[in-house]
Amino acid sequence: MRYLLIVLMWLPGLAAASSVESLKGFLNQTTSGKARFAQMVLDKNMKMLQQATGTMQFSRPGKFRWEYTKPYEQTIVGDGSRLWIYDKDLNQVTVRKLDSALGSSPAALLAGSNEIEKNYTLTNLGSQEGLDWLEAKPKAQDTAFEMIRLGFGKTGLEAMELRDQFGQITVIKFADVERNPKLAPEVFKFAPPKGADLISE
């Protein structure tokens, strides 16, 4: 489900350190961020299933705006209490409570509380392809993703990989990252477009 990719919160420029220390540093040092992203979804045989691009912005705790621009238009907004998902092609808005929608997802890991190791087992994977990698495995059994990998470079988080229960892998690469920008409150508000179907879950 595409809305789950709102979990991909960006970790901006952190000093060189182990990947686990970088993640903890993010939670202590970052209140907001914005970036462009390119996303690929691969099946378990590494065959390309989907490509997408867009922009994202976030303000901790729990506020974010994730906008896909190509090949489809979709807007995902977390306003602190609710999660809004707008599919422009379907003219449909889905809204649900933010806490229940995120649970032990990567969004909870990156945009939630600082108690990372309460919900995740963190492992440094070392350097691969020029990045320092961290693996985060959720301790809960009923999560959408069985494993999350975060790749840190000189400018902070540069890549993210998520493996779901079916073996599919979502790869995100970030560009034009900004750490702690001033973001208007309106960025994290959403009003359903006139005439859109509204589904509450």
Side-chain angles (χ1 to χ4, degrees):
M1 292 179 289
R2 293 182 301 189
Y3 77 84
L4 288 171
L5 299 176
I6 55 95
V7 301
L8 306 174
M9 294 290 138
W10 164 67
L11 280 74
L14 300 168
S18 78
S19 51
V20 171
E21 290 170 349
S22 293
L23 177 57
K24 291 180 178 179
F26 157 75
L27 295 174
N28 291 322
Q29 300 167 19
T30 305
T31 58
S32 65
K34 61 189 297 188
R36 290 189 300 110
F37 67 86
Q39 171 186 309
M40 296 182 296
V41 179
L42 310 172
D43 68 13
K44 60 184 178 181
N45 298 315
M46 304 304 286
K47 179 182 177 181
M48 179 80 70
L49 298 177
Q50 187 183 83
Q51 287 182 289
T53 58
T55 60
M56 63 81 62
Q57 302 173 77
F58 74 89
S59 178
R60 296 184 70 234
K63 294 183 179 181
F64 48 84
R65 187 179 192 95
W66 190 270
E67 293 189 272
Y68 291 91
T69 54
K70 293 180 181 180
Y72 50 83
E73 292 186 45
Q74 184 182 53
T75 300
I76 302 164
V77 177
D79 64 11
S81 61
R82 291 168 297 182
L83 176 68
W84 301 87
I85 304 150
Y86 173 51
D87 279 295
K88 185 174 181 179
D89 290 346
L90 300 175
N91 198 26
Q92 177 178 292
V93 176
T94 303
V95 60
R96 65 194 68 187
K97 289 183 179 179
L98 189 62
D99 288 346
S100 61
L102 298 185
S104 295
S105 71
L109 182 148
L110 300 177
S113 75
N114 289 8
E115 298 178 352
I116 315 168
E117 289 167 298
K118 179 179 179 181
N119 297 312
Y120 295 87
T121 300
L122 305 179
T123 305
N124 280 310
L125 299 179
S127 181
Q128 300 173 28
E129 301 177 358
L131 299 178
D132 292 323
W133 288 90
L134 159 72
E135 180 180 270
K137 285 192 174 181
K139 293 181 179 179
Q141 299 298 313
D142 58 347
T143 60
F145 297 96
E146 65 178 25
M147 182 269 288
I148 305 156
R149 296 176 72 227
L150 308 173
F152 294 87
K154 294 180 180 179
T155 60
L157 186 76
E158 296 184 15
M160 199 170 200
E161 297 179 6
L162 300 99
R163 185 185 298 271
D164 68 18
Q165 305 291 351
F166 304 101
Q168 288 189 356
I169 299 172
T170 299
V171 179
I172 305 287
K173 294 187 177 181
F174 300 99
D176 298 335
V177 293
E178 293 182 42
R179 179 185 177 190
N180 292 329
K182 291 185 178 180
L183 300 174
E186 290 73 24
V187 168
F188 307 109
K189 294 179 181 179
F190 183 84
K194 186 175 181 180
D197 293 327
L198 181 63
I199 301 171
S200 296
E201 296 183 358

